[in-house]
């Protein structure tokens, strides 16, 4: 996967392409679902909806110019907590969820963190 796709790790930036992937992917999730990524990350409190709650980063995977998957994780003082992974179903054979999880772990190791908490 590393050789075929471009991977970017950076502070989370929501985009229309991420919202489309989330909308198309959320049928795979169990339990209560938020209507979009902003509500997923910031909650439904209209007074504070514009404020970030955590230090959220992303691992984004691109096939040329096309966003095909991304995962979100929060950075704490000594650990990383994975939040969500979303991908284009037509790329399922590349195991992008596992791939982005490994990239999150690598990023945490590069910061000297000892702990990684993943989504079940």
């Amino acid at each position: 996967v590393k050789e075929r796709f471009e991977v970017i790790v950076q502070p989370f930036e929501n985009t229309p392409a991420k919202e489309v992937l989330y909308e198309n992917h959320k049928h795979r999730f169990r339990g209560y679902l938020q209507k979009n990524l902003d509500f997923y990350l910031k909650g439904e409190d209209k007074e504070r909806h514009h404020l970030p709650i955590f230090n959220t980063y992303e691992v984004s995977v691109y096939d040329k110019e096309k966003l095909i998957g991304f995962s979100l994780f929060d950075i704490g003082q000594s650990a990383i907590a994975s939040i969500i992974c979303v991908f284009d179903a037509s790329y399922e054979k590349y195991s992008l969820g596992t791939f982005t999880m490994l990239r999150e772990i690598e990023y945490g190791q590069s910061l000297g963190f000892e702990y990684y908490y993943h989504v079940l």
Side-chain angles (χ1 to χ4, degrees):
V1 174
K2 275 185 178 181
E3 296 79 32
R4 176 170 177 180
F5 304 123
E6 179 184 3
V7 179
I8 299 171
V9 179
Q10 65 184 15
F12 175 65
E13 227 178 276
N14 200 1
T15 64
K18 290 180 186 123
E19 289 290 357
V20 168
L21 273 182
Y22 176 74
E23 184 62 35
N24 292 337
H25 189 87
K26 69 183 182 180
H27 72 277
R28 298 176 61 115
F29 301 124
R30 294 183 192 133
Y32 179 74
L33 295 172
Q34 295 290 347
K35 63 182 175 181
N36 61 41
L37 287 172
D38 276 337
F39 278 88
Y40 188 90
L41 294 172
K42 298 175 186 175
E44 295 190 40
D45 185 346
K46 292 182 177 144
E47 300 277 322
R48 298 175 10 147
H49 183 68
H50 65 285
L51 300 174
I53 298 173
F54 299 105
N55 189 15
T56 304
Y57 272 61
E58 65 182 77
V59 175
S60 295
V61 183
Y62 292 87
D63 186 358
K64 297 181 179 66
E65 305 284 318
K66 179 184 179 187
L67 177 68
I68 60 168
F70 65 93
S71 65
L72 304 180
F73 60 98
D74 288 334
I75 297 178
Q77 291 182 349
S78 62
I80 283 179
S82 185
I83 301 171
I84 189 172
C85 178
V86 175
F87 58 88
D88 183 324
S90 65
Y91 288 84
E92 187 170 19
K93 70 180 181 180
Y94 293 102
S95 300
L96 294 175
T98 302
F99 176 73
T100 58
M101 180 185 286
L102 292 171
R103 291 304 296 261
E104 291 173 0
I105 292 169
E106 284 178 3
Y107 190 76
Q109 288 174 329
S110 76
L111 298 176
F113 291 168
E114 295 182 43
Y115 303 102
Y116 174 80
Y117 301 94
H118 63 86
V119 178
L120 295 178

